[in-house]
């Protein structure tokens, strides 16, 4: 059931409920603010087995907006450390904390969602974006600079140093952001990757950059340090990554020591036709799970505790992540425990709640 423990690499996670990574667009120069402190502290005592910290940029140009969190200088690192220590200090159920390491590629240099989500205009201090090929996300967006081999090597090094810092900070797990149209996804997808060199063309070449990033991180982490990737189950486009390509990518990740994948979808094209609705991505996790022994996490419009529990019972996935459900109810796990008749530890200060 969702309350049974699970192991990811060397990490014992107390239950299978995950707070999905959620950008708060509230940092200053990559540094977390008081908003993050309250956000992460309340998720700290949510009793979720794993709390994922938002997409965190490995270099400044890899931020989505001016207000995204980074892990690329000492100030950012100290703010991450402070906030994780605070969140852990109020986590009675020993929730684990993971960080999602990210690079936005051609989807960087944009406004925050509540400011319009478009490319930054000239007077909003935009920066030059990068991508495997000079193809903008949509017509009105910045045309990204095609990455040279030296850029590829630089970004690889940034992911390695970010990972080493994440371990030093005290994160229990690292997730590489490989979906939602960000840099690694841009390489994997034939829609955004038209390169003629060894990083473009057939699937083997398109997979090369994300797999190299993964291997180079893996090589420098302590043995069995929990390391996974958020991936694209489908792009919901005829000419994009489909479930078969996603499965092939997962098999390669497994070969190089990946511990888990979280199966999401879309994000690399402006308006794919996504059949959204409750559990709309569970079938993608189910398909992947049939082809791998790795831990498989699902996500997407999961809100009901009994139905979430059934995902695990039916073996569609091994873990269930939720984003918006935790925004509207950070006590989701406490309520689910009641519904499913399971005992969890609640902070004594709040034990008398109705
Ligand atoms: C406010 C917000 C911020 C998000 N930020 C991230 C992020 O940093 N990284 C990521 O992989 N997905 C991000 N997502 C996507 C969620 O992790 C999740 O996959 C998506 O919202 C679907 O799950 P849900 O239906 O439970 O909300 C974000 C979603 C929301 C609502």
């Amino acid at each position: 059931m969702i309350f049974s423990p699970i192991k990811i690499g060397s990490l014992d996670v107390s239950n299978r409920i995950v707070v999905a990574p959620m950008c708060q667009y509230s940092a200053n120069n990559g540094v977390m603010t008081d908003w993050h402190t309250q956000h992460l502290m309340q998720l700290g005592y949510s009793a979720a087995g794993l709390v994922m910290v938002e997409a965190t940029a490995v270099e400044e140009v890899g931020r989505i907006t001016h207000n995204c969190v980074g892990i690329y200088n000492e100030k950012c690192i100290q703010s991450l450390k402070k906030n994780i220590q605070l969140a852990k200090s109020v986590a009675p159920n020993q929730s684990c904390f993971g960080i999602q390491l990210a690079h936005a590629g051609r989807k960087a240099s944009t406004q925050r969602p509540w400011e319009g989500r478009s490319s930054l205009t000239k007077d909003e201090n935009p920066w030059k974006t990068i991508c495997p090929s000079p193809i903008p996300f949509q017509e009105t967006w910045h045309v990204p600079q095609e990455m040279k081999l030296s850029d590829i090597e630089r970004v690889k090094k940034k992911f390695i140093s970010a990972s080493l810092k994440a371990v030093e900070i005290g994160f229990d797990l690292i997730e590489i952001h490989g979906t939602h149209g960000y840099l690694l996804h841009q390489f994997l997808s034939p829609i955004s990757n038209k390169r003629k060199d060894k990083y473009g063309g057939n699937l083997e070449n398109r997979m090369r950059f994300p797999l190299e990033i993964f291997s180079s991180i893996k090589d420098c982490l302590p043995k069995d340090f929990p390391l996974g990737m958020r991936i694209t189950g489908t792009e919901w486009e005829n000419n994009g990554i489909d479930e078969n390509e996603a499965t092939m990518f997962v098999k390669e990740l497994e070969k190089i020591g990946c511990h888990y994948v979280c199966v999401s979808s879309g994000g690399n094209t402006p308006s794919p036709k996504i059949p959204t609705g409750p559990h709309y991505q569970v079938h993608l996790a189910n398909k992947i799970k049939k082809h791998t022994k790795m831990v498989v996490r699902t996500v997407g419009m999961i809100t009901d505790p009994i139905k979430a529990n059934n995902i695990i019972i039916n073996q569609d996935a091994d873990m269930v992540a939720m984003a918006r459900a935790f925004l509207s109810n950070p006590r989701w796990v406490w309520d689910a425990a009641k519904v499913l008749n399971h005992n969890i530890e609640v902070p004594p200060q709040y034990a008398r709640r109705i």
Side-chain angles (χ1 to χ4, degrees):
M1 66 178 305
I2 44 172
F3 283 103
S4 53
I6 187 165
K7 212 168 173 84
I8 307 178
S10 56
L11 186 69
D12 289 309
V13 184
S14 60
N15 64 52
R16 289 152 186 259
I17 306 162
V18 181
V19 178
M22 279 181 276
C23 286
Q24 297 298 293
Y25 309 102
S26 299
N28 286 331
N29 297 316
V31 176
M32 284 185 160
T33 61
D34 288 350
W35 178 263
H36 294 95
T37 306
Q38 70 76 26
H39 175 68
L40 291 171
M41 284 184 83
Q42 70 172 298
L43 294 172
Y45 57 82
S46 68
L50 176 63
V51 177
M52 288 305 307
V53 168
E54 66 191 83
T56 302
V58 299
E59 66 172 351
E60 213 170 351
V61 297
R63 289 175 304 161
I64 306 167
T65 71
H66 280 296
N67 303 93
C68 287
V69 175
I71 185 168
Y72 47 74
N73 67 29
E74 202 45 38
K75 274 191 175 168
C76 301
I77 290 161
Q78 287 311 320
S79 79
L80 280 162
K81 192 169 189 170
K82 181 188 102 180
N83 282 290
I84 286 311
Q85 282 172 352
L86 286 170
K88 283 193 170 184
S89 74
V90 292
N93 290 274
Q94 273 105 39
S95 295
C96 300
F97 286 83
I99 186 168
Q100 189 185 53
L101 298 179
H103 195 301
R106 68 175 182 171
K107 285 178 82 177
S109 189
T110 62
Q111 298 157 344
R112 298 191 272 196
W114 56 88
E115 292 165 343
R117 216 179 214 140
S118 301
S119 265
L120 292 174
T121 59
K122 276 195 187 118
D123 50 6
E124 289 174 320
N125 197 13
W127 62 91
K128 198 80 200 147
T129 60
I130 56 172
C131 186
S133 305
I135 306 166
F137 174 65
Q138 48 183 314
E139 253 176 46
T140 51
W141 283 39
H142 303 308
V143 178
Q145 231 156 25
E146 177 172 317
M147 285 170 75
K148 300 193 199 90
L149 292 182
S150 57
D151 294 317
I152 287 179
E153 288 311 309
R154 186 195 71 242
V155 171
K156 221 183 275 176
K157 286 192 185 124
K158 298 286 181 188
F159 268 99
I160 294 173
S161 59
S163 303
L164 292 174
K165 288 297 173 194
V167 176
E168 227 178 279
I169 288 166
F171 281 104
D172 303 302
L173 169 150
I174 295 175
E175 174 168 304
I176 311 302
H177 201 343
T179 183
H180 298 170
Y182 297 116
L183 189 64
L184 272 63
H185 183 173
Q186 291 159 27
F187 269 87
L188 202 59
S189 170
I191 294 172
S192 42
N193 182 350
K194 305 283 183 197
R195 295 177 77 94
K196 300 275 182 266
D197 63 3
K198 65 175 183 177
Y199 289 102
N202 60 25
L203 179 63
E204 190 187 345
N205 284 357
R206 285 183 278 116
M207 288 192 292
R208 194 179 307 279
F209 178 69
L211 292 176
E212 280 182 2
I213 296 265
F214 191 91
S215 295
S216 46
I217 293 172
K218 178 90 187 164
D219 288 347
C220 70
L221 289 181
K223 190 174 176 298
D224 279 339
F225 188 90
L227 180 63
M229 193 182 281
R230 203 162 210 210
I231 62 148
T232 307
T234 175
E235 291 190 296
W236 308 106
E237 299 281 4
N238 290 332
N239 55 345
I241 300 168
D242 60 12
E243 296 174 30
N244 291 331
E245 283 203 349
T247 305
M248 286 191 258
F249 180 55
V250 166
K251 284 182 180 168
E252 294 305 312
L253 279 174
E254 184 165 21
K255 281 186 205 159
I256 55 175
C258 187
H259 294 125
Y260 79 94
V261 286
C262 180
V263 188
S264 192
S265 71
N268 198 31
T269 49
S271 39
K273 289 193 177 57
I274 306 180
T276 50
H279 297 208
Y280 73 103
Q281 293 178 144
V282 171
H283 71 285
L284 300 171
N286 170 285
K287 162 119 195 197
I288 299 280
K289 194 167 154 54
K290 288 194 174 110
H291 293 92
T292 179
K293 290 195 168 62
M294 278 189 278
V295 170
V296 176
R297 198 169 92 195
T298 186
V299 68
M301 298 184 76
I302 299 163
T303 54
D304 180 81
I306 293 172
K307 290 181 184 157
N309 198 36
N310 285 340
I311 292 174
I312 306 296
I313 291 170
N314 297 338
Q315 298 189 3
D316 286 324
D318 304 297
M319 298 184 92
V320 170
M322 282 163 282
R324 288 165 292 181
F326 275 104
L327 294 184
S328 55
N329 179 14
R331 317 273 189 267
W332 189 94
V333 183
W334 306 7
D335 294 343
K338 267 192 188 165
V339 172
L340 297 169
N341 215 6
H342 184 83
N343 260 338
I344 56 159
E345 203 182 327
V346 164
Q349 297 91 331
Y350 287 2
R352 284 165 60 188
R353 81 190 188 111
I354 296 163

